[in-house]
């Protein structure tokens, strides 16, 4: 993909450890004149539906974006997106309409189109929903997943056996998110995967942001190993309970420490 990370409308100037000290957002919403976000996008294949491809490309770029590391919602620019994808603005507009209907974007009159950020209460509710679905997925995985599929969960953390997760926090963050998605997949339920798709953007972003704080990465890998052991033993009740508590612990952490979401 072309270079270009998402840029905040306002300079962040803060580190992850200083995240709670970020200034409160303006009550009037994002500023109209702020620079638009530059999403990582590639020109799309014109032999297929332009709208559908634009939709898929934009949605993936939004999911991959670190939207909570910025002080304000990120604004999108039709012209910039059109240039990045190599198509006219019509399929871009159509794709953004679909994404707005799904809750990924919102239109602010006279200001533009923004990637939606959730409040702390909404994030906590999403994590609680994730906990319910993923714990059931773990329960199903103990009966539906093969030994090889469960064993593959261990390989996700091989590189962290001889070093702490904190030494490779970006790599561990990616492995952490992939682990939780894998449990959903091992359930064998396509409905579970599609149900959590629209909350993935926000839960993933919060997991990524908080994993480096308060030694959560070290505790996280211990939890993951216990979950894998329960799955390997086909201990349905234990696997379900451990997965649920792991996510509920994240919800409690967000409730206590993530005031910047207010």
């Amino acid at each position: 993909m072309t270079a270009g990370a998402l840029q905040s409308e306002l300079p962040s100037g803060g580190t992850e450890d200083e995240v709670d000290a970020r200034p409160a957002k303006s009550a009037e919403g994002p500023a109209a004149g702020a620079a638009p976000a530059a999403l990582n996008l590639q020109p799309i294949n014109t032999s297929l539906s332009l709208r559908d491809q634009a939709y898929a490309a934009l949605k993936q770029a939004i999911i991959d974006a670190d939207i909570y590391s910025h002080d304000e919602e990120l604004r999108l620019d039709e012209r910039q997106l059109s240039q990045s994808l190599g198509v006219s603005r019509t399929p871009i507009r159509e794709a953004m309409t679909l994404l707005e209907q799904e809750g990924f974007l919102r239109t602010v009159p006279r200001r533009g189109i923004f990637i939606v950020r959730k409040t702390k209460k909404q994030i906590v509710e999403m994590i609680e929903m994730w906990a319910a679905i993923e714990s059931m997925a773990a329960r199903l995985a103990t009966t539906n997943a093969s030994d090889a599929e469960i064993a593959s969960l261990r390989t996700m953390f091989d590189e962290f056996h001889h070093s702490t997760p904190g030494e490779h926090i970006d790599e561990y963050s990616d492995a952490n998110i992939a682990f939780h998605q894998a449990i959903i997949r091992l359930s064998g339920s396509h409905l579970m995967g599609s149900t959590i798709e629209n909350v993935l953007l926000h839960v993933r972003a919060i997991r990524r942001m908080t994993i480096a704080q308060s030694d959560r990465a070290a505790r996280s890998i211990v939890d993951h190993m216990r979950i894998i052991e329960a799955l390997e033993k086909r201990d349905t009740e234990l696997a379900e309970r451990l997965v649920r508590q792991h996510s509920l612990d994240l919800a409690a952490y967000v409730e206590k420490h993530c005031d910047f979401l207010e």
Side-chain angles (χ1 to χ4, degrees):
M1 288 189 175
T2 55
L6 278 168
Q7 299 174 345
S8 166
E9 296 188 323
L10 298 176
S12 174
T15 66
E16 285 188 330
D17 293 334
E18 299 167 339
V19 69
D20 288 343
R22 291 174 181 161
K25 293 181 289 185
S26 168
E28 298 181 355
L39 294 177
N40 288 321
L41 297 166
Q42 287 279 6
I44 62 180
N45 186 343
T46 56
S47 65
L48 302 175
S49 165
L50 297 183
R51 185 203 66 177
D52 291 346
Q53 287 189 87
Y55 166 82
L58 285 172
K59 186 172 185 177
Q60 189 58 53
I62 290 169
I63 289 173
D64 291 340
D66 194 3
I67 63 173
Y68 291 100
S69 65
H70 307 278
D71 294 320
E72 296 288 342
E73 289 181 326
L74 302 176
R75 182 170 66 86
L76 302 184
D77 180 80
E78 282 185 11
R79 183 178 64 179
Q80 187 179 80
L81 296 176
S82 175
Q83 292 173 346
S84 296
L85 290 174
V87 296
S88 70
R89 295 192 192 184
T90 298
I92 299 296
R93 291 191 189 107
E94 293 172 347
M96 289 199 294
T97 296
L98 292 175
L99 290 167
E100 185 166 11
Q101 290 171 355
E102 293 180 355
F104 287 94
L105 302 176
R106 72 186 185 101
T107 299
V108 180
R110 297 183 299 280
R111 290 196 173 98
I113 299 175
F114 297 84
I115 300 176
V116 170
R117 283 167 53 111
K118 300 296 186 181
T119 65
K120 183 168 75 171
K121 183 177 186 298
Q122 289 171 325
I123 290 291
V124 169
E125 290 175 351
M126 285 182 168
I127 297 171
E128 290 170 344
M129 173 185 169
W130 186 288
I133 293 176
E134 189 184 1
S135 60
M136 178 53 71
R139 184 180 187 90
L140 293 175
T142 62
T143 58
N144 295 340
S146 68
D147 291 343
E149 287 173 326
I150 293 174
S152 70
L153 296 175
R154 285 192 179 274
T155 65
M156 293 182 177
F157 304 103
D158 283 347
E159 64 180 292
F160 309 109
H161 289 326
H162 304 294
S163 61
T164 64
E167 295 178 58
H168 309 279
I169 196 63
D170 290 338
E171 293 84 354
Y172 182 75
S173 178
D174 290 339
N176 175 48
I177 292 164
F179 174 77
H180 291 286
Q181 291 177 283
I183 290 178
I184 300 290
R185 187 176 65 253
L186 293 187
S187 72
S189 170
H190 297 294
L191 181 58
M192 284 187 178
S194 61
T195 299
I196 66 166
E197 184 177 353
N198 287 357
V199 306
L200 174 62
L201 161 65
H202 304 283
V203 174
R204 178 178 179 174
I206 292 299
R207 284 191 186 278
R208 187 181 297 279
M209 171 169 283
T210 60
I211 196 65
Q213 301 173 9
S214 304
D215 202 32
R216 291 196 67 251
R219 295 198 302 274
S220 171
I221 198 167
V222 171
D223 286 353
H224 290 172
M225 292 301 107
R226 293 179 65 200
I227 289 168
I228 293 171
E229 289 171 4
L231 292 170
E232 289 172 336
K233 293 176 181 177
R234 309 288 176 169
D235 189 331
T236 300
E237 300 299 330
L238 180 60
E240 181 179 21
R241 177 166 57 82
L242 290 175
V243 168
R244 180 171 55 250
Q245 190 58 51
H246 181 69
S247 286
L248 290 179
D249 287 345
L250 173 61
Y253 182 88
V254 170
E255 181 66 48
K256 184 175 181 180
H257 298 286
C258 295
D259 290 340
F260 68 93
L261 293 169
E262 297 290 1

